[in-house]
Amino acid sequence: MRILLVEDDNLLAQGIVTALARASYQTEHCRTGKQALQALDNAEFDLMILDLGLPDGFAGKILQQLRAQQHQLPVLVLTALDQIDTKLQLLNDGADDYMVKPFDVRELEARIRVLLRRKAERRHDVLQHGELLLDLVKHSCEYAGKTVNLTRREFLLLKDFLQHKDKILSRQHLEELSVGWDGDTESNAIEVHIHNLRKKLHPELIKTVRGIGYLLPGQV
Protein backbone atom coordinates (compact mmCIF):
# COMPACT_ATOMS: atom_id res chain seq x y z
CA MET A 1 0.00 0.00 0.00
CA ARG A 2 1.32 3.43 -0.93
CA ILE A 3 0.69 6.40 1.32
CA LEU A 4 1.31 10.04 0.45
CA LEU A 5 2.47 12.00 3.49
CA VAL A 6 2.23 15.79 3.15
CA GLU A 7 4.10 17.27 6.12
CA ASP A 8 6.58 20.18 6.29
CA ASP A 9 8.25 19.04 9.55
CA ASN A 10 11.02 16.76 8.31
CA LEU A 11 11.75 15.22 11.72
CA LEU A 12 8.09 14.34 12.32
CA ALA A 13 7.73 13.09 8.74
CA GLN A 14 10.74 10.79 9.09
CA GLY A 15 9.29 9.34 12.28
CA ILE A 16 5.98 8.65 10.54
CA VAL A 17 7.69 7.11 7.50
CA THR A 18 9.76 4.83 9.75
CA ALA A 19 6.76 3.76 11.83
CA LEU A 20 4.62 3.05 8.77
CA ALA A 21 7.45 1.08 7.15
CA ARG A 22 7.42 -1.24 10.17
CA ALA A 23 3.70 -1.70 9.50
CA SER A 24 4.49 -2.62 5.86
CA TYR A 25 3.36 0.66 4.27
CA GLN A 26 5.46 2.40 1.65
CA THR A 27 5.26 6.14 2.23
CA GLU A 28 6.17 9.02 -0.07
CA HIS A 29 6.88 12.34 1.64
CA CYS A 30 6.14 15.82 0.28
CA ARG A 31 6.78 19.08 2.15
CA THR A 32 4.41 21.36 0.25
CA GLY A 33 0.96 21.24 -1.26
CA LYS A 34 2.38 21.94 -4.70
CA GLN A 35 4.65 18.89 -4.45
CA ALA A 36 1.70 16.82 -3.28
CA LEU A 37 -0.42 17.83 -6.28
CA GLN A 38 2.44 16.87 -8.60
CA ALA A 39 2.80 13.50 -6.84
CA LEU A 40 -0.93 12.83 -7.20
CA ASP A 41 -0.72 13.58 -10.92
CA ASN A 42 2.23 11.23 -11.44
CA ALA A 43 1.46 8.22 -9.25
CA GLU A 44 -1.33 6.25 -7.57
CA PHE A 45 -1.76 6.22 -3.80
CA ASP A 46 -4.06 4.36 -1.45
CA LEU A 47 -4.30 7.06 1.22
CA MET A 48 -3.04 10.57 1.98
CA ILE A 49 -1.98 12.02 5.34
CA LEU A 50 -2.32 15.79 5.07
CA ASP A 51 -0.87 18.45 7.38
CA LEU A 52 -2.77 21.74 7.30
CA GLY A 53 0.10 24.09 8.14
CA LEU A 54 2.01 23.83 4.88
CA PRO A 55 4.52 26.53 3.83
CA ASP A 56 2.65 27.31 0.62
CA GLY A 57 -0.82 27.14 2.16
CA PHE A 58 -2.00 24.59 -0.41
CA ALA A 59 -3.61 22.09 2.01
CA GLY A 60 -7.19 23.22 1.43
CA LYS A 61 -6.64 23.35 -2.31
CA ILE A 62 -5.53 19.71 -2.35
CA LEU A 63 -8.76 18.57 -0.72
CA GLN A 64 -10.93 20.79 -2.91
CA GLN A 65 -9.22 19.63 -6.10
CA LEU A 66 -9.47 15.94 -5.17
CA ARG A 67 -13.16 16.09 -4.37
CA ALA A 68 -13.99 18.35 -7.32
CA GLN A 69 -12.52 15.62 -9.54
CA GLN A 70 -14.61 12.99 -7.73
CA HIS A 71 -11.39 11.39 -6.49
CA GLN A 72 -12.09 8.84 -3.75
CA LEU A 73 -8.60 8.83 -2.20
CA PRO A 74 -9.01 8.63 1.61
CA VAL A 75 -7.56 11.71 3.32
CA LEU A 76 -6.51 11.79 6.97
CA VAL A 77 -5.84 15.35 8.18
CA LEU A 78 -3.00 15.67 10.69
CA THR A 79 -2.70 19.08 12.33
CA ALA A 80 -2.09 21.05 15.51
CA LEU A 81 -5.36 22.94 14.97
CA ASP A 82 -8.08 21.49 17.20
CA GLN A 83 -10.86 24.08 16.90
CA ILE A 84 -14.22 22.52 16.16
CA ASP A 85 -14.89 24.97 13.31
CA THR A 86 -11.67 23.89 11.60
CA LYS A 87 -12.57 20.22 11.98
CA LEU A 88 -16.04 20.77 10.56
CA GLN A 89 -14.67 22.77 7.62
CA LEU A 90 -12.15 20.07 6.70
CA LEU A 91 -14.68 17.27 7.05
CA ASN A 92 -17.14 19.23 4.92
CA ASP A 93 -14.41 19.80 2.33
CA GLY A 94 -13.95 16.05 2.00
CA ALA A 95 -11.51 14.89 4.68
CA ASP A 96 -12.23 11.34 5.86
CA ASP A 97 -10.64 11.64 9.30
CA TYR A 98 -8.93 14.19 11.52
CA MET A 99 -6.09 13.79 14.06
CA VAL A 100 -4.64 16.47 16.31
CA LYS A 101 -0.92 16.74 17.09
CA PRO A 102 0.71 15.49 19.25
CA PHE A 103 -0.48 11.96 18.61
CA ASP A 104 0.39 8.35 19.31
CA VAL A 105 1.66 6.57 16.20
CA ARG A 106 -0.31 3.47 17.20
CA GLU A 107 -3.52 5.45 16.86
CA LEU A 108 -2.37 6.78 13.49
CA GLU A 109 -1.77 3.21 12.26
CA ALA A 110 -5.20 2.14 13.55
CA ARG A 111 -6.96 5.02 11.82
CA ILE A 112 -5.13 4.24 8.57
CA ARG A 113 -6.29 0.63 8.77
CA VAL A 114 -9.88 1.75 9.36
CA LEU A 115 -9.84 4.09 6.35
CA LEU A 116 -8.30 1.45 4.08
CA ARG A 117 -10.76 -1.13 5.37
CA ARG A 118 -13.63 1.22 4.59
CA LYS A 119 -12.23 1.91 1.14
CA ALA A 120 -12.03 -1.81 0.37
CA GLU A 121 -15.43 -2.42 1.99
CA ARG A 122 -13.86 -4.85 4.45
CA ARG A 123 -14.95 -5.35 8.05
CA HIS A 124 -11.74 -6.91 9.35
CA ASP A 125 -7.98 -6.39 9.12
CA VAL A 126 -7.36 -9.92 7.83
CA LEU A 127 -7.01 -10.55 4.11
CA GLN A 128 -8.04 -14.03 2.99
CA HIS A 129 -7.53 -15.91 -0.24
CA GLY A 130 -8.47 -19.56 0.00
CA GLU A 131 -6.18 -21.09 2.63
CA LEU A 132 -4.05 -17.97 2.78
CA LEU A 133 -4.58 -15.51 5.67
CA LEU A 134 -2.68 -12.24 6.04
CA ASP A 135 -3.21 -10.37 9.33
CA LEU A 136 -2.53 -6.65 8.83
CA VAL A 137 -2.47 -5.91 12.57
CA LYS A 138 -0.25 -8.77 13.75
CA HIS A 139 1.78 -8.71 10.51
CA SER A 140 1.48 -12.48 10.32
CA CYS A 141 0.79 -14.95 7.54
CA GLU A 142 -0.80 -18.40 7.55
CA TYR A 143 -1.17 -20.85 4.72
CA ALA A 144 -3.05 -24.15 5.00
CA GLY A 145 -3.18 -23.68 8.77
CA LYS A 146 0.57 -23.19 9.17
CA THR A 147 2.48 -20.03 10.03
CA VAL A 148 4.60 -18.70 7.18
CA ASN A 149 7.50 -16.40 7.98
CA LEU A 150 7.68 -13.53 5.50
CA THR A 151 10.21 -10.77 5.22
CA ARG A 152 8.86 -7.22 5.40
CA ARG A 153 9.27 -6.89 1.65
CA GLU A 154 7.45 -10.14 0.95
CA PHE A 155 4.63 -9.11 3.30
CA LEU A 156 4.29 -5.75 1.54
CA LEU A 157 4.14 -7.36 -1.89
CA LEU A 158 1.69 -10.06 -0.85
CA LYS A 159 -0.59 -7.49 0.79
CA ASP A 160 -0.70 -5.49 -2.44
CA PHE A 161 -1.58 -8.59 -4.48
CA LEU A 162 -4.34 -9.56 -2.03
CA GLN A 163 -5.81 -6.07 -2.18
CA HIS A 164 -5.83 -6.14 -5.98
CA LYS A 165 -7.08 -9.63 -6.84
CA ASP A 166 -7.66 -10.31 -10.52
CA LYS A 167 -5.79 -7.13 -11.43
CA ILE A 168 -2.51 -7.24 -13.32
CA LEU A 169 0.13 -5.37 -11.34
CA SER A 170 2.73 -4.00 -13.71
CA ARG A 171 6.41 -4.29 -13.05
CA GLN A 172 6.54 -0.48 -12.89
CA HIS A 173 3.85 -0.44 -10.18
CA LEU A 174 5.70 -3.05 -8.13
CA GLU A 175 9.00 -1.25 -8.55
CA GLU A 176 7.39 2.02 -7.41
CA LEU A 177 5.97 0.13 -4.45
CA SER A 178 9.47 -1.10 -3.64
CA VAL A 179 10.98 2.39 -3.44
CA GLY A 180 12.48 2.78 -0.01
CA TRP A 181 13.10 -0.95 0.55
CA ASP A 182 16.49 -0.23 2.09
CA GLY A 183 17.83 0.83 -1.29
CA ASP A 184 17.02 -2.56 -2.83
CA THR A 185 16.37 -1.50 -6.39
CA GLU A 186 18.43 -4.03 -8.37
CA SER A 187 16.78 -5.03 -11.63
CA ASN A 188 15.76 -8.52 -10.50
CA ALA A 189 14.53 -7.60 -6.99
CA ILE A 190 10.83 -8.02 -7.82
CA GLU A 191 11.40 -11.40 -9.47
CA VAL A 192 13.38 -12.60 -6.44
CA HIS A 193 10.67 -11.61 -3.96
CA ILE A 194 7.89 -13.18 -6.06
CA HIS A 195 9.95 -16.34 -6.46
CA ASN A 196 10.31 -16.50 -2.68
CA LEU A 197 6.57 -16.00 -2.16
CA ARG A 198 5.78 -18.83 -4.56
CA LYS A 199 8.28 -21.06 -2.80
CA LYS A 200 6.90 -20.30 0.68
CA LEU A 201 3.22 -20.46 -0.28
CA HIS A 202 2.31 -22.13 -3.58
CA PRO A 203 4.06 -22.16 -6.96
CA GLU A 204 0.85 -21.23 -8.79
CA LEU A 205 -0.31 -18.50 -6.38
CA ILE A 206 1.01 -15.54 -8.40
CA LYS A 207 0.80 -15.73 -12.18
CA THR A 208 3.28 -14.13 -14.53
CA VAL A 209 1.66 -12.14 -17.34
CA ARG A 210 4.50 -12.11 -19.81
CA GLY A 211 5.66 -8.67 -20.84
CA ILE A 212 3.19 -6.92 -18.53
CA GLY A 213 3.48 -7.92 -14.90
CA TYR A 214 1.97 -10.28 -12.33
CA LEU A 215 -1.52 -11.37 -11.29
CA LEU A 216 -3.15 -12.96 -8.26
CA PRO A 217 -6.26 -14.72 -9.65
CA GLY A 218 -9.42 -13.98 -7.73
CA GLN A 219 -10.60 -17.59 -7.91
CA VAL A 220 -8.66 -20.12 -5.86
Side-chain angles (χ1 to χ4, degrees):
M1 300 294 283
R2 298 187 72 193
I3 293 177
L4 179 61
L5 171 62
V6 190
E7 168 63 60
D8 66 324
D9 185 325
N10 284 328
L11 186 60
L12 175 59
Q14 187 56 52
I16 293 174
V17 170
T18 300
L20 295 184
R22 289 196 296 266
S24 299
Y25 295 108
Q26 192 261 310
T27 308
E28 302 290 344
H29 174 219
C30 295
R31 293 191 68 255
T32 68
K34 184 176 181 180
Q35 291 173 352
L37 290 172
Q38 292 173 342
L40 290 168
D41 284 339
N42 296 323
E44 292 186 7
F45 296 92
D46 297 286
L47 181 141
M48 178 166 62
I49 301 173
L50 178 64
D51 176 30
L52 288 187
L54 300 177
D56 57 5
F58 268 53
K61 183 176 180 180
I62 295 173
L63 261 180
Q64 293 166 7
Q65 180 168 318
L66 281 174
R67 300 318 182 212
Q69 297 173 347
Q70 303 299 311
H71 203 303
Q72 300 303 310
L73 178 72
V75 177
L76 191 161
V77 172
L78 194 61
T79 178
L81 303 175
D82 62 353
Q83 295 87 350
I84 185 63
D85 288 342
T86 303
K87 293 180 182 179
L88 292 174
Q89 181 63 53
L90 268 294
L91 292 171
N92 288 333
D93 283 346
D96 296 277
D97 201 356
Y98 194 108
M99 283 190 69
V100 177
K101 303 175 185 177
F103 60 92
D104 189 311
V105 70
R106 293 172 298 175
E107 181 181 357
L108 176 63
E109 292 175 16
R111 288 176 181 259
I112 288 172
R113 288 196 304 271
V114 169
L115 290 176
L116 293 176
R117 205 165 60 211
R118 185 187 305 163
K119 177 185 177 184
E121 298 183 346
R122 289 185 289 109
R123 298 183 62 186
H124 306 287
D125 288 312
V126 176
L127 302 177
Q128 182 171 5
H129 183 67
E131 296 182 288
L132 173 63
L133 296 174
L134 197 69
D135 192 313
L136 304 184
V137 178
K138 298 178 180 178
H139 305 290
S140 61
C141 177
E142 288 186 12
Y143 184 72
K146 296 181 179 180
T147 299
V148 179
N149 293 319
L150 300 178
T151 66
R152 181 168 64 87
R153 303 170 189 183
E154 291 164 359
F155 187 96
L156 181 63
L157 264 181
L158 184 58
K159 180 171 69 171
D160 205 54
F161 277 111
L162 287 171
Q163 291 173 327
H164 298 92
K165 295 180 186 179
D166 267 337
K167 178 180 178 180
I168 298 175
L169 301 183
S170 68
R171 180 183 176 84
Q172 180 181 351
H173 167 83
L174 296 174
E175 287 177 344
E176 289 177 353
L177 184 69
S178 73
V179 172
W181 284 359
D182 303 325
D184 185 5
T185 56
E186 63 267 23
S187 61
N188 67 338
I190 298 301
E191 286 84 353
V192 170
H193 296 314
I194 290 178
H195 169 78
N196 290 338
L197 284 172
R198 288 168 172 162
K199 186 176 180 180
K200 291 181 178 183
L201 299 169
H202 191 284
E204 299 298 323
L205 179 68
I206 299 171
K207 307 290 186 182
T208 298
V209 182
R210 192 170 299 278
I212 302 177
Y214 300 90
L215 169 73
L216 177 69
Q219 297 296 322
V220 180

